[in-house]
Amino acid sequence: QRQLRRDIGPEVCQYLSELSKKVIAEAAPPESEILVKRALLERLEAISKTIVPDAKLIAFGSLVTGFATANSDLDVIFTGGDRVDILNESSDDPSSNFRIPMLLESKLQEEGFGTTLLTKTRVPILKLVQKATEQSPYELQCDIGFSNHLALYNTQMLLTYSKCDPRVKEMMIFIKWWAKRRHINNPYRGTLSSYGYALIVLHYLINVVKPPVLPNLQTFPVPDSAPTNEIIFEGDSDDTFEIWFYKDIEKLPKSDNAMDIGELLKGFFEYYAHNFQWGREVVSIRTKGGLMTKQEKGWVAAVIKPGRTENSEVKNRYLFAVEDPFETEHNVSRTCNGPGVNRIKDEFKRAVWLIRVRDGGKTLFQNLCME
Ligand code: ATP
Ligand code: MG
């Protein structure tokens, strides 16, 4: 194991802990925002049922994991109806592609929502915005996906990790807040999704910090609950995915790691600033040790694949490599382009630099999460 640098005094961790408490208090959404989101979910489901009577909208992402920050979007999956109607790939008429997403889009527009239908993504995504009103002072953004059930399972795994130790949620909220404020949390603009940040935080808590804060739930050796082959089929391919992870967390021993959140954050920033080899390594939380090499995965050169719609393409980049814990051929950070990866690396270095300035934490407080 590579050693983390230890040349920073304990007072720095104290400042970081204080800062993270402030940030968490500021970043966590108020209860009223969560209620408004749940009400929106019910309304959207009722509207969906007017098009597909057995439609259901299932929430995933930060509303479920508890990693939401104020203004987090609402992620939902549309289920029900016939898949053929939704993706209508057999049709030769391109205008009939995505029949249900398009019907839902026009219905939502009639109801006053702002909408955009993304069809060049791996699965269609309907993005909608509900403007703030007097009754509901929050502008809400919602992404409705029409496939991708793996997201429900990875959401459950993040939630399970979060239940293992309260520091998981604190780390997640702090890192998301930092990444949002520093503009390195935008998968549409060349940087990393919140989900990607969640995975790199888990790698640190499972594999890097000693003693570990978390066990690896996907390799956890428990004699009387050996991995059952829990497998699902997903989407348009015949691909299957192993989705087993250990869920009986009440039986797990508490972590021997007693570090406070400041110490953990410092170690996290240092690891990705100085120890992680961005050009060579792949974060792989399902694997023992948590790392693979790009060579081992064959993740060496960018690959362009045809997308679902005519003239669309999907670019698989491997500049930064974070393996999805279930869909192991999927690089969660393929959204990161060259300038994006450089900005992310620079932000890790900047964070470490700020942590090292010895001025009673003043610079740190002012600058670490400065917009
Ligand atoms: P935020 O509060 O910023 O919206 P979030 O925790 O909801 O954060 P998102 O990045 O919105 O995180 O992702 C929500 C869910 O979508 C994830 O739990 C995951 O299931 C899925 N997801 C997002 N990005 C990817 C990706 N690149 N690859 C696979 N699944 C993803
Ligand atoms: Mg989200």
Side-chain angles (χ1 to χ4, degrees), residues 174-335:
F174 187 94
I175 293 304
K176 267 174 64 175
W177 186 245
W178 164 75
K180 276 186 211 284
R181 303 270 286 214
R182 301 302 302 162
H183 303 287
I184 50 168
N185 175 211
N186 194 337
Y188 298 103
R189 295 217 178 131
T191 56
L192 187 62
S193 63
S194 298
Y195 178 54
Y197 283 100
L199 295 177
I200 70 170
V201 168
L202 287 179
H203 167 52
Y204 172 74
L205 296 176
I206 297 168
N207 306 113
V208 179
V209 71
K210 295 282 173 273
V213 171
L214 293 171
N216 183 334
L217 296 178
Q218 288 177 280
T219 59
F220 200 69
V222 197
D224 56 353
S225 74
T228 59
N229 280 351
E230 269 181 58
I231 285 176
I232 63 160
F233 291 91
E234 172 74 16
D236 45 325
S237 61
D238 292 333
D239 292 345
T240 55
F241 300 99
E242 168 64 73
I243 52 154
W244 181 86
F245 61 93
Y246 185 77
K247 298 175 188 72
D248 220 354
I249 54 165
E250 295 77 31
K251 291 200 184 135
L252 294 177
K254 286 269 160 282
S255 164
D256 293 329
N257 183 307
M259 293 179 184
D260 72 6
I261 190 75
E263 217 171 332
L264 291 174
L265 284 169
K266 176 170 84 71
F268 173 79
F269 287 128
E270 288 177 334
Y271 175 71
Y272 287 102
H274 298 302
N275 300 78
F276 178 67
Q277 296 176 41
W278 298 67
R280 203 180 82 87
E281 291 177 325
V282 179
V283 171
S284 165
I285 65 159
R286 78 186 160 104
T287 307
K288 242 182 163 156
L291 289 173
M292 290 183 75
T293 61
K294 292 185 185 178
Q295 209 73 42
E296 272 176 278
K297 291 210 58 97
W299 283 5
V300 281
V303 186
I304 297 181
K305 288 200 215 156
R308 189 182 289 284
T309 53
E310 226 183 325
N311 300 326
S312 75
E313 51 187 36
V314 177
K315 191 164 192 185
N316 286 339
R317 301 186 195 87
Y318 303 111
L319 297 171
F320 179 21
V322 180
E323 181 196 58
D324 187 273
F326 298 135
E327 190 179 1
T328 57
E329 283 313 304
H330 174 51
N331 179 19
V332 172
S333 50
R334 69 155 194 224
T335 55

Side-chain angles (χ1 to χ4, degrees), residues 60-63 65 67-69 72-73 75 122 148 150-152 154-155 158 176 180 185 193-195 324 330-332 335:
F60 64 104
S62 57
L63 186 70
T65 56
F67 304 156
T69 47
S72 273
D73 62 355
D75 301 296
R122 287 200 305 165
N148 194 14
L150 278 173
L152 303 179
N154 65 41
T155 294
L158 295 188
K176 267 174 64 175
K180 276 186 211 284
N185 175 211
S193 63
S194 298
Y195 178 54
D324 187 273
H330 174 51
N331 179 19
V332 172
T335 55

Side-chain angles (χ1 to χ4, degrees), residues 37 41 57-64 72-78 125 127 141-145 151-152 155 176 194:
K37 280 186 183 158
L41 190 60
L57 294 186
I58 308 174
F60 64 104
S62 57
L63 186 70
V64 178
S72 273
D73 62 355
L74 176 61
D75 301 296
V76 300
I77 289 179
F78 181 105
I125 295 174
K127 295 183 95 60
Q141 314 249 0
C142 174
D143 282 3
I144 304 179
L152 303 179
T155 294
K176 267 174 64 175
S194 298

Side-chain angles (χ1 to χ4, degrees), residues 17-37:
S17 280
E18 285 167 26
L19 177 62
S20 71
K21 286 199 182 83
K22 280 191 190 170
V23 164
I24 290 162
E26 194 182 327
E31 186 62 24
S32 55
E33 184 180 323
I34 294 176
L35 292 177
V36 168
K37 280 186 183 158

